[in-house]
Amino acid sequence: MTEIQMIKGDITTLKVDAIVNAANNTLLGGGGVDGAIHHAAGPELLEVCRNLGGCDTGQAKITQAFRLPAHYIIHTVGPVWQGGQEDEEALLRSCYENCLRLGRKIAARSIAFPSISTGAFAYPLERAAKIALQTIYAYLAKHPHVYEEIYFVCFSDHDLKVYQKIAKEIY
Ligand code: AR6
């Protein structure tokens, strides 16, 4: 059985098999969690990212984690919120699904997600948390033994409260 943990913290400090990065289409770094991950992983990360050829929205690509305590980084690109009529929901769901799929491919037993798209990409937090949790629950119903631990890493008390509230509502 998989344990789902919602925590407040900095995803770069987690000693898990894979952390997820909320990147952009270039995969060449940026601000927010992407900037924090590149800063903590070191310049080798940017070097390998240069060879990945970018990433489409909703898709994911994997690299080593270099100086991070995690083993791998799964880089995904969430949708920019444009009001909800531009397939944002399906694209965000696809981010979580593709990260879980890639993590399984490398036999990860633990994976940690940030709140994809809810910072610079302005996806409304409650809606995004609902999609994140629903997608994880749906995956676990199909694949209950793939992961031991799935973490949602919230960067603020407010974000954590929202995730906890949505989890109660939908579980
Ligand atoms: N650990 C965990 N969560 C964090 C951390 C951290 N160290 N730092 C920030 N967050 P964002 P997006 C939270 O903007 O909305 C970048 O420039 C943050 O508080 O990082 O998908 C990329 O290059 C928020 O809750 O990602 C893209 O251009 C969440 O992570 C763009 O931003 C996501 O916020 C992607 O935007």
Side-chain angles (χ1 to χ4, degrees):
M1 275 290 285
T2 307
E3 199 179 334
I4 297 182
Q5 308 238 25
M6 285 173 232
I7 59 171
K8 183 190 149 189
D10 176 354
I11 204 167
T12 65
T13 65
L14 292 195
K15 200 171 184 310
V16 288
D17 291 333
I19 64 165
V20 171
N21 181 16
N24 58 56
N25 296 121
T26 69
L27 294 187
L28 298 180
V33 70
D34 194 10
I37 287 172
H38 274 269
H39 182 75
E44 298 93 336
L45 177 59
L46 185 57
E47 284 305 305
V48 299
C49 283
R50 282 191 208 287
N51 297 319
L52 294 178
C55 183
D56 289 338
T57 304
Q59 300 299 308
K61 293 193 177 178
I62 194 160
T63 66
Q64 294 172 62
F66 300 101
R67 299 176 199 179
L68 295 180
H71 293 306
Y72 294 95
I73 304 166
I74 299 174
H75 307 262
T76 190
V77 184
V80 176
W81 180 256
Q82 295 174 83
Q85 307 302 313
E86 300 296 326
D87 237 13
E88 293 98 318
E89 186 174 327
L91 289 165
L92 188 59
R93 193 178 310 117
S94 153
C95 286
Y96 286 95
E97 286 169 350
N98 283 318
C99 289
L100 291 165
R101 199 172 301 142
L102 265 187
R104 185 184 187 190
K105 242 186 178 172
I106 54 141
R109 302 287 285 150
S110 52
I111 185 167
F113 289 92
S115 185
I116 300 166
S117 279
T118 64
F121 284 177
Y123 206 111
L125 182 61
E126 294 211 3
R127 291 187 193 217
K130 196 169 174 188
I131 291 163
L133 286 159
Q134 281 175 338
T135 309
I136 301 290
Y137 292 148
Y139 182 87
L140 294 183
K142 278 196 208 150
H143 309 284
H145 304 298
V146 170
Y147 290 99
E148 269 165 27
E149 286 164 322
I150 297 180
Y151 293 87
F152 284 105
V153 186
C154 297
F155 206 47
S156 69
D157 288 323
H158 172 71
D159 285 13
L160 180 59
K161 276 198 189 124
V162 169
Y163 268 77
Q164 286 168 338
K165 185 188 95 163
I166 301 289
K168 261 194 205 154
E169 279 172 18
I170 65 176
Y171 196 58

